[in-house]
Amino acid sequence: MRLNRDRVIIIGGGIQGCAAAYFLARRGQDVTLIEKDHIARHASGVNAGGVRRLGRDLVEIPLSLASMDIWQSLESDIGVHADAFHPCFYVKVALDEAGQKLGLDRIDSLRKAGFQHECWLDDADIRKRLPHLSCRTRGGILVEGDGWAVPWRIVQGFAAAAARHGASLIEGCRVLNLEFDKECWQVTTSQGLFEAGQVVNCAGAWAADLARQAGEPVMPLSAHAPMLAVTERRRPILPAVMGVLGHTLSLKQLDTGQFVIGGGVRARADMQANRGEVAIPELAASMRLATTLFADIASAPIIRCWSGIEGYMPDNLPVIGRGSKPGLVHGFGFSAHGFQLGPGVGEALADLVMGQQPRISLEPFRPDRFEADT
Amino acid sequence: MKQGSYHDLVIIGAGPAGLAAAIEASAGGLTTLVLDDQPAPGGQVYRQIVQNANSRSARGYLGADYWSGHELADAFARSLAELRSECRVWQIGKDRDVFFSQHGKAQKVRAGAVLIATGAMERAMPIAGWTLPGVMSVGAAQTMLKSSGSGADGAVFAGSGPLFYLTVWQYLQAGLTVRAVIDTAPARLGLRHYWLALPALLQPGLLLKGVRWRREIRRKTRYISGARSVGIVGDSRATGIRFRDARGGELTIAAEHIFIHQGVVPNVNLTMATELDHRWCPRQLCWHPRTDIFGQSSVAGVFVAGDGMGIAGAGAAVLSGRLAARRILAGKNGRSSGVPLFWRLLKFRQTAIRPFLDTLFTPPQEWRTPEDDTTIVCRCEALTKADVMAAIAMGVSGPNQLKGYCRAGMGRCQGRMCSLSVQNLIHDHTGVPEDRIGHLRIRPPIRPLTVGELAALVDEDASE
Ligand SMILES: Cc1cc2nc3c(=O)[nH]c(=O)nc-3n(C[C@H](O)[C@H](O)[C@H](O)COP(=O)(O)OP(=O)(O)OC[C@H]3O[C@@H](n4cnc5c(N)ncnc54)[C@H](O)[C@@H]3O)c2cc1C
Ligand SMILES: Cc1cc2nc3c(=O)[nH]c(=O)nc-3n(C[C@H](O)[C@H](O)[C@H](O)COP(=O)(O)OP(=O)(O)OC[C@H]3O[C@@H](n4cnc5c(N)ncnc54)[C@H](O)[C@@H]3O)c2cc1C
């Protein structure tokens, strides 16, 4: 029998937790993933599914690119059904002078930092790629090969792959307390006590609570509920995922013909009730932008709006790294753009647990980077 | 915020519950606004009552009960309450902001209190062939009669329940021929029906009416009782209806128009989307918002009245509307409200017949969960029973998770039509009690709202 010290417990069945479980199990680790609701119940299962490198914070780009490598090999390597991911292109257009300046400055700073994945297109090029666009643009930024995925199926895919490699997934089980006792973590849950040598905190918007229980310094994590709307089916007019420079719009057309609109606007997260509120009127600005881009969308009925609970950090960068207690690793605070990062984060978390050097530097995501301010 | 968009009370629904509440509240001095999606007041039961006032023939064939709604509509017209018709309410937001869309524009009003009086809807009827052209619900057949004075000649009616017999009777009164009436209520009554009929004697008028309708239907149509295994036949449209009669014989009746019905359930879309607490009602086999006798829900300042609280009929709807208005008035004037015992008695008398009716007309199991694997359960996504069962077999925990596996409830009706059927299938398969399985999470907008309509909401705000 293996010692409990060899066990790794992952808290949270979102994309980060499931990807980490997969990479650890594949490397032969004894992994138990604990999820209080069900796999992909929260942000990871209800997000907009945008898989984008475009527009990432400069310090996040290496992680995003590393993650993209894994996205490319989802089916061959991990066994996630490929039609859950639809690569296309991702474009953010400028609608005014301010947007154009944002875009051109961005390309400039990317080039200086040595990145080539984003490129600038002028209005004519954009209209060639998006012939149904109803407005003129002042150019825009494009990344080839970004796209969208069915988030729920991707997360389920990672969970199933982890299980195939021997991970045990426990749903409907809440971690109530975390305590380090001599050489083991004592993880008290609604289904009893678990022991583990290492604990990975992938609890999303709840992660700060768990960190606090584990005796970590206070984490400035806040919870909000980004919102989305989906329309009825329409004829296909949008072969890309779109945004507008200087705005938070995310707009795509699924293969069902339905438009998904929203992303940046957020409502209140009701942590007590375990769900995000929906405040449709707040989505009005996104609707206006969407109809500016494609007049056709105006007549599409919205059939459903929803939101998901997400954890935000003050600098909009995630927390990924070892905590101050032995055997504790954090991966949370993805500030509404963690879905694309998920596979890469899962791999990096597995490296940390196993004491290996991750492919990319995790320095910008250090858990203690806020300590000086508090 | 625009001037004048605040009202002490905003009522959603201009049926008997909403109208009665509006009359009472405005008489008590509350500024009252009623929002309703129909072109005229009346709700389901008194649909088009004002327009039909001048039609002698409509008075005749729709019956005295229908006509009695005229008094209510008159009193409402004389009241100070304001009605805005053709408004689709799509969300009740924080702090009782009520959002609706009217004539292509999204708008908002603010309310001191909100009364949800959105009534009932027909229970979905997932029997073989129910989605074929030519098949309609009995409620839709009645709506035709009330709003345009027309109906289909030579139709077959199948199902049971008060609205079922009433509509057949109205069709006959209007001089339309009815080819056959296929009754799915149990042919023989059990002992408990008679016990439950005792309190029902407090509403003798209703009991007698039921007896009269049935007698007339038996006399004027081909009437078949105790029918089982009902299904619609036809390829691209309905050509007939097949069933087994009480003796087990297989029968098919040819017809182009087939009207089916298996009772009504509270229209809980708005109460669910407003996140009021609900409870499963085992007697009516549906969800009711949890309220006190005054209709106060689990959310402060949000009330429910009428059939949306639980199916109790037009008389009880009027009473519940008045009760809610009294409580809101009392709250506004800082008084504790009324004489509960008197109201309780009145309410008991008004609803005394329900246990009897609910038990007598319990929808048959085979209409709640289809017998055939190929029968459609979710119309919007065209999912059959087999599709849904395959997803259930993957181990889903409830209708919300099921959406991810098979898209049931993801279409334009947002699960209005399939939620109860899906819940039933999960219940049959897993044995988990229905209240634990839960309802599909209903997300706003609960009424169609176009992207353009919502975009227009911003323009209005920005110009202020
Ligand atoms: C509406 C919306 C749109 C978005 N759009 C995009 C997009 O287009 N592209 C993109 O890249 N990102 C997007 N995001 C962000 C992305 O979804 C998140 O960053 C990402 O899913 C976070 O994953 P996670 O695993 O950290 O968190 P989660 O998915 O929230 O998982 C955390 C899990 O931990 C569980 N948990 C918490 N506490 C406990 C406990 N005590 N015991 C047991 N389990 C516990 C929770 O139940 C939860 O399931 C969007 C987010 C939302 C909400
Ligand atoms: C199709 C149908 C026909 C019926 N016919 C009869 C009958 O003939 N006789 C009888 O005794 N009982 C009938 N009933 C039962 C009957 O509905 C009730 O007993 C009675 O009408 C209940 O009154 P109410 O005020 O609660 O609701 P209703 O009378 O149903 O009034 C609710 C009103 O709210 C409106 N509404 C609902 N949602 C919204 C929204 N989101 N925005 C704006 N407006 C909204 C509806 O259009 C309706 O006008 C019928 C039920 C149905 C479903």
Side-chain angles (χ1 to χ4, degrees):
Chain A
M1 204 184 100
R2 266 195 275 181
L3 290 174
N4 286 338
R5 239 185 318 178
D6 293 338
R7 182 195 274 158
V8 184
I9 285 188
I10 298 174
I11 305 169
I15 179 93
Q16 322 299 346
C18 292
Y22 164 75
F23 283 106
L24 283 166
R26 190 171 85 171
R27 298 179 198 177
Q29 295 292 301
D30 175 359
V31 181
T32 302
L33 182 144
I34 296 177
E35 164 57 49
K36 67 178 167 61
D37 298 311
H38 55 78
I39 302 284
R41 161 72 177 81
H42 290 286
S44 300
V46 301
N47 64 58
V51 180
R52 69 171 169 86
R53 287 161 290 186
L54 182 140
R56 295 268 164 195
D57 193 302
L58 281 182
V59 301
E60 214 176 60
I61 292 176
L63 178 58
S64 178
L65 297 180
S67 200
M68 205 61 197
D69 291 344
I70 306 173
W71 277 98
Q72 312 293 4
S73 57
L74 274 187
E75 181 151 40
S76 55
D77 253 33
I78 297 167
V80 175
H81 210 344
D83 71 359
F85 175 41
H86 302 247
C88 46
F89 60 97
Y90 207 118
V91 58
K92 255 186 152 182
V93 298
L95 292 182
D96 51 21
E97 213 170 310
Q100 185 176 29
K101 181 164 169 9
L102 269 176
L104 289 170
D105 287 354
R106 165 146 186 107
I107 295 290
D108 203 38
S109 51
L110 281 175
R111 293 292 178 269
K112 283 192 183 122
F115 296 117
Q116 305 295 330
H117 59 290
E118 297 188 15
C119 64
W120 182 260
L121 297 184
D122 60 20
D123 182 53
D125 286 334
I126 284 175
R127 298 170 70 81
K128 226 176 283 160
R129 284 173 171 262
L130 299 171
H132 296 281
L133 206 63
S134 354
C135 64
R136 297 218 150 265
T137 70
R138 286 168 170 264
I141 297 179
L142 172 133
V143 175
E144 208 75 65
D146 279 359
W148 59 274
V150 185
W152 184 86
R153 292 185 47 200
I154 296 290
V155 182
Q156 287 287 338
F158 271 102
R164 279 198 299 275
H165 286 280
S168 45
L169 312 171
I170 308 179
E171 295 176 274
C173 175
R174 178 189 286 269
V175 174
L176 302 169
N177 198 31
L178 271 175
E179 218 169 317
F180 190 69
D181 172 35
K182 287 188 245 87
E183 40 189 55
C184 252
W185 282 94
Q186 308 287 321
V187 183
T188 315
T189 77
S190 55
Q191 293 184 15
L193 185 72
F194 292 79
E195 279 188 340
Q198 303 206 53
V199 169
V200 186
N201 176 11
C202 290
W206 297 263
D209 290 349
L210 287 153
R212 187 173 30 75
Q213 285 166 15
E216 292 279 84
V218 176
M219 299 278 186
L221 178 82
S222 58
H224 303 280
M227 289 190 290
L228 291 169
V230 63
T231 71
E232 267 182 24
R233 297 163 194 240
R234 281 292 186 266
R235 74 186 169 112
I237 56 170
L238 175 56
V241 187
M242 267 196 96
V244 174
L245 282 156
H247 296 267
T248 54
L249 174 77
S250 122
L251 172 67
K252 67 175 69 67
Q253 190 171 24
L254 306 178
D255 49 0
T256 54
Q258 297 173 288
F259 290 97
V260 176
I261 310 170
V265 224
R266 52 203 205 188
R268 215 174 59 92
D270 187 340
M271 305 300 273
Q272 226 69 47
N274 202 28
R275 65 181 166 226
E277 283 179 355
V278 178
I280 301 187
E282 323 291 324
L283 281 166
S286 307
M287 300 301 147
R288 216 168 34 167
L289 275 176
T291 54
T292 304
L293 295 174
F294 298 97
D296 277 13
I297 299 180
S299 65
I302 299 168
I303 57 174
R304 187 169 57 254
C305 297
W306 72 93
S307 67
I309 301 180
E310 166 75 326
Y312 289 77
M313 297 306 288
D315 57 1
N316 283 317
L317 292 176
V319 168
I320 308 169
R322 295 199 153 272
S324 62
K325 291 271 152 22
L328 183 60
V329 175
H330 297 293
F332 63 83
F334 288 87
S335 314
H337 52 266
F339 180 59
Q340 188 272 346
L341 299 178
V345 171
E347 190 178 42
L349 290 171
D351 290 336
L352 289 174
V353 166
M354 300 185 66
Q356 294 163 350
Q357 183 65 37
R359 275 210 261 177
I360 43 126
S361 160
L362 297 175
E363 183 58 22
F365 317 120
R366 275 182 16 242
D368 62 359
R369 67 183 187 272
F370 296 101
E371 266 164 49
D373 324 347
T374 47
Chain B
M1 169 69 26
K2 259 199 323 222
Q3 289 286 306
S5 77
Y6 176 86
H7 303 263
D8 295 328
L9 173 60
V10 172
I11 299 173
I12 302 137
L19 294 178
I23 294 165
E24 190 96 7
S26 59
L30 298 186
T31 54
T32 304
L33 173 69
V34 184
L35 302 172
D36 188 86
D37 57 357
Q38 294 193 39
Q44 295 289 9
V45 51
Y46 306 134
R47 183 182 287 273
Q48 296 288 94
I49 185 89
V50 180
Q51 289 70 5
N52 286 337
N54 301 325
S55 156
R56 272 194 168 278
S57 57
R59 283 172 73 156
Y61 60 73
L62 291 175
D65 281 334
Y66 174 77
W67 193 241
S68 71
H70 201 252
E71 241 170 74
L72 192 66
D74 265 354
F76 176 75
R78 285 192 308 270
S79 79
L80 293 174
E82 182 192 340
L83 170 69
R84 284 212 230 163
S85 295
E86 297 182 311
C87 289
R88 298 190 306 265
V89 174
W90 47 263
Q91 184 176 26
I92 298 173
K94 277 192 297 278
D95 306 322
R96 298 177 296 279
D97 281 343
V98 179
F99 295 93
F100 59 95
S101 131
Q102 187 186 29
H103 309 141
K105 248 179 72 182
Q107 300 174 48
K108 164 170 92 175
V109 290
R110 282 186 308 128
V114 171
L115 176 65
I116 301 177
T118 49
M121 57 180 253
E122 287 177 280
R123 187 189 284 276
M125 294 154 287
I127 58 170
W130 69 302
T131 55
L132 286 173
V135 184
M136 257 180 16
S137 75
V138 163
Q142 192 204 40
T143 297
M144 278 202 302
L145 205 59
K146 285 178 183 169
S147 50
S148 63
S150 64
D153 224 12
V156 171
F157 284 71
S160 76
L163 184 60
F164 179 77
Y165 304 116
L166 167 62
T167 306
V168 178
W169 181 82
Q170 287 171 332
Y171 262 60
L172 294 173
Q173 292 299 106
L176 294 158
T177 59
V178 172
R179 182 160 307 160
V181 173
I182 298 165
D183 194 330
T184 56
R188 233 178 288 138
L189 297 187
L191 201 59
R192 69 196 168 123
H193 297 110
Y194 293 104
W195 281 110
L196 290 168
L198 282 181
L201 292 175
L202 285 170
Q203 290 177 290
L206 291 182
L207 278 179
L208 283 178
K209 211 158 26 191
V211 173
R212 221 180 65 223
W213 290 339
R214 263 167 93 140
R215 205 172 44 217
E216 193 150 338
I217 291 167
R218 278 164 190 268
R219 200 159 52 78
K220 290 196 180 155
T221 67
R222 179 172 172 200
Y223 174 84
I224 298 137
S225 64
R228 283 280 161 273
S229 298
V230 180
I232 314 293
V233 288
D235 295 327
S236 55
R237 57 165 298 124
T239 55
I241 183 164
R242 62 165 163 74
F243 56 95
R244 253 183 292 123
D245 66 14
R247 270 173 271 113
E250 297 265 4
L251 277 165
T252 301
I253 297 176
E256 274 175 32
H257 297 284
I258 295 159
F259 301 144
I260 56 180
H261 180 80
Q262 60 161 336
V264 298
V265 294
N267 176 0
V268 290
N269 274 31
L270 191 53
T271 54
M272 288 265 181
T274 311
E275 307 201 334
L276 310 186
D277 284 350
H278 286 70
R279 67 179 184 90
W280 176 252
C281 174
R283 186 157 54 76
Q284 296 192 339
L285 296 170
C286 57
W287 294 90
H288 291 174
R290 219 183 262 283
T291 69
D292 67 8
I293 189 174
F294 294 99
Q296 169 67 62
S297 74
S298 57
V299 172
V302 178
F303 291 76
V304 189
D307 269 7
M309 281 172 103
I311 304 304
V318 167
L319 185 62
S320 67
R322 293 179 63 193
L323 275 171
R326 286 187 154 237
R327 168 52 66 85
I328 294 162
L329 270 166
K332 175 99 176 162
N333 300 330
R335 279 187 285 106
S336 79
S337 48
V339 260
L341 182 65
F342 169 70
W343 289 104
R344 259 171 229 279
L345 288 175
L346 212 56
K347 184 129 191 184
F348 179 73
R349 200 186 77 92
Q350 271 297 345
T351 53
I353 198 171
R354 283 329 299 190
F356 178 63
L357 293 183
D358 293 339
T359 313
L360 194 60
F361 300 125
T362 297
Q365 183 63 29
E366 67 204 48
W367 281 56
R368 297 208 293 143
T369 58
E371 295 186 304
D372 294 347
D373 274 355
T374 55
T375 300
I376 299 270
V377 171
C378 169
R379 295 180 80 126
C380 301
E381 298 288 328
L383 296 169
T384 62
K385 176 186 175 187
D387 296 330
V388 174
M389 290 311 292
I392 292 172
M394 291 166 84
V396 296
S397 57
N400 291 307
Q401 213 194 358
L402 189 92
K403 287 198 293 194
Y405 284 93
C406 75
R407 290 187 66 84
M410 293 277 267
R412 64 179 303 181
C413 92
Q414 273 222 47
R416 277 158 62 94
M417 296 297 277
C418 68
S419 186
L420 285 173
S421 317
V422 163
Q423 186 186 328
N424 242 327
L425 287 170
I426 298 177
H427 169 74
D428 290 352
H429 184 77
T430 61
V432 176
E434 293 179 287
D435 52 337
R436 289 231 329 267
I437 292 169
H439 195 274
L440 266 174
R441 201 171 300 121
I442 301 289
R443 291 303 207 177
I446 58 134
R447 286 297 170 95
L449 163 74
T450 65
V451 172
E453 278 171 341
L454 181 52
L457 185 71
V458 178
D459 286 336
E460 199 178 66
D461 273 356
S463 65
E464 279 158 18

